[in-house]
Structure formats: C-alpha cells, structure tokens
Amino acid sequence: MNTPIVEASEIVKNYQKETTTIPVLRSVCLRMVKGEFLAIMGASGSGKSTLLNIIGCLDRPTTGSYLLDGVDVLKSSDDQLSRMRSRYLGFVFQTFNLISNLTVFENIELPFLYHTINQKEISERVHTAIEQVGLSDRINHRPAELSGGEMQRVSIARALAIQPKLILADEPTGNLDSLNSREIMLLFKRLHNQGGTIILVTHDPQVASYADSCVTISDGQIIGESL
Ligand SMILES: Nc1ncnc2c1ncn2[C@@H]1O[C@H](COP(=O)(O)OP(=O)(O)O)[C@@H](O)[C@H]1O
Ligand SMILES: [Mg+2]
C-alpha cells in the first residue's frame, strides 16, 4: 500500500490583480500514498483551499509539477481533467452543495450524469453509499427536511457513490455543531479504516486530530509535518 496517489512538487500559485502579483502558494511539496488519511491545517487565508483545489484538479498551479495517481495533471487537457474529477475524485464541501429540489437519492445520483454506467448499477451504488453513511431511511427526503449533519452525510454519500480513488474534504465540519462535527469525523475515520484515501482541510486542530498525518500550511508554505 505504498503506491503514491498525490505527488506535488514545488507548487506555486499566484493570482494576478492588475499589475500586482499575489503569491498564494510558495513552492509547496506534498506526497501522499493510497490508503492515507491526511489533514492540511492552517489559519484562514493561508492557502488551504487553493492547494486542495489544485490537488482536486479544479484549478491549475502557476508553476510546479503534479502527478495524480501517476497522471501528469499539467500536461492534461481540461476535458481530461474533468473526466478524472468525475471518475476518481469525491468532493465534500463546508456548505454541502446539495440541490434543494432533488431528493437524497437524486442528489447522490447526480455525479453519474458524466458516467456511462447503467441505471441498475447506479441505483445499487446509491443504495450502498447511503447505507455507508447510515441514512437509508431518508432516501426520499429533500435537503430542507434534514439536519446539517444529515446533509453533510448525504454529500459524503454523493462523494462515495462513484467509488473515488481520493476523497477531498474542505472544512467539512465548518457549518456543524460539535456533536455533528464529531459524528462526521468518526464517519471519515471509519471510511479510512475501510481503505479510503482522504485529504481533509481544516483550521481546527481538534478536527485534524482524526487524521493519521497532518501538514500545516502558513502564508502559502508548508511549515510542519506530523504523523
Ligand atoms: N481568485 C482569487 N484571486 C485573488 N486572490 C485569491 C483568490 N482566491 C484566493 N485568493 C487569496 O489567496 C489566499 C488564500 O486563500 P484560500 O486558499 O482560500 O485560503 P484558506 O482556504 O486557507 O482560507 C487568500 O489571501 C485569498 O484572499
Ligand atoms: Mg478555505
């Protein structure tokens, strides 16, 4: 289980605002193997989401090199990257990003719009994912009929249904109270124990403590690593 999934070297990300260059990531190197549960911790504005978006192929670095599961992301076209995202990556966000007029089942089914899997297989995958997060009895509910913790569990099921190689979670407990945060983190831990590979971004050391390893980012640079 020492196969690398993320191999990012000297990642630089600058934003250009008129004539000023704003450096956001300054030579970040990150390596992660399959089966790892890694936390990226840092204060607000330190560059965590920018780094996660690059790892998740939602954004490209200004310079540097990045291999995702052996694929050179910088040499891939936008079409190739969106295919990688929809097949291999499961995203979980602070704000859940569920569609309010769709049921739980329909929300979890959405990522399959870009797949060529048949409806029977999709239905089986959705049911398995909803069972994994313990919400089988809410499958026909709409998001407004769920608690915050339940909504986040649905968004985790949506990420799981495609059977991703890597789960990327950006402040997944940011909108939850402490009890629900704990439940969500125990769920991530269980998914990791079942073989899942997870990157979690958080500003909260308590949340980061559920991961196996942690890197700390400050002002766009990795300043510490702990196992
Ligand atoms: N599109 C953008 N244009 C200019 N600056 C940006 C943009 N996105 C993020 N930034 C800046 O980059 C820095 C890091 O942002 P971000 O990665 O969102 O931090 P974090 O997730 O750690 O709070 C912040 O100072 C932010 O203002
Ligand atoms: Mg952020």
Side-chain angles (χ1 to χ4, degrees):
M1 285 278 278
N2 279 332
T3 325
I5 180 133
V6 168
E7 294 174 281
S9 302
E10 294 175 35
I11 298 289
V12 170
K13 180 72 180 178
N14 298 324
Y15 286 111
Q16 198 67 34
K17 203 90 181 139
E18 283 132 28
T19 54
T20 319
T21 301
I22 305 162
V24 176
L25 297 176
R26 310 161 191 253
S27 199
V28 169
C29 298
L30 193 71
R31 191 175 181 281
M32 181 183 185
V33 296
K34 288 183 181 167
E36 205 177 329
F37 183 4
L38 173 75
I40 299 174
M41 201 171 63
S44 175
S46 57
K48 304 182 298 297
S49 294
T50 304
L51 178 58
L52 198 72
N53 289 346
I54 289 172
I55 295 170
C57 306
L58 292 163
D59 199 359
R60 290 172 184 270
T62 307
T63 60
S65 77
Y66 176 31
L67 301 183
L68 173 60
D69 201 24
V71 175
D72 190 333
V73 168
L74 277 76
K75 290 196 179 124
S76 304
S77 67
D78 287 349
D79 276 355
Q80 285 168 324
L81 290 190
S82 65
R83 218 171 306 130
M84 297 242 291
R85 277 199 307 272
S86 67
R87 302 255 167 93
Y88 301 143
L89 303 176
F91 292 91
V92 178
F93 299 101
Q94 177 171 354
T95 48
F96 322 134
N97 298 7
L98 300 175
I99 302 203
S100 58
N101 58 350
L102 297 182
T103 64
V104 165
F105 185 96
E106 290 161 345
N107 267 284
I108 299 172
E109 192 185 36
L110 267 187
F112 290 106
L113 272 179
Y114 309 101
H115 287 234
T116 50
I117 300 171
N118 67 50
Q119 191 58 41
K120 181 169 171 283
E121 166 89 16
I122 291 175
S123 179
E124 280 168 14
R125 295 240 207 139
V126 171
H127 279 102
T128 304
I130 200 80
E131 268 168 36
Q132 280 180 284
V133 302
L135 279 181
S136 297
D137 54 347
R138 299 285 196 281
I139 202 151
N140 293 316
H141 283 53
R142 289 181 206 281
E145 298 160 348
L146 301 172
S147 72
E150 287 169 342
M151 282 195 259
Q152 192 57 299
R153 285 198 271 158
V154 172
S155 98
I156 293 171
R158 180 183 54 194
L160 291 174
I162 63 151
Q163 299 174 350
K165 292 185 180 183
L166 177 61
I167 296 172
L168 300 154
D170 193 346
E171 305 272 8
T173 61
N175 280 14
L176 302 177
D177 60 28
S178 59
L179 198 70
N180 278 298
S181 295
R182 192 179 131 75
E183 271 194 21
I184 291 298
M185 291 318 301
L186 289 172
L187 174 55
F188 277 119
K189 196 149 182 87
R190 183 154 50 79
L191 294 171
H192 165 59
N193 289 338
Q194 292 164 353
T197 308
I198 304 168
I199 303 185
L200 162 87
V201 156
T202 181
H203 64 277
D204 183 345
Q206 173 75 36
V207 170
S209 71
Y210 287 86
D212 291 339
S213 49
C214 178
V215 298
T216 303
I217 181 165
S218 173
D219 198 18
Q221 281 181 305
I222 290 184
I223 55 162
E225 280 182 53
S226 60
L227 289 173

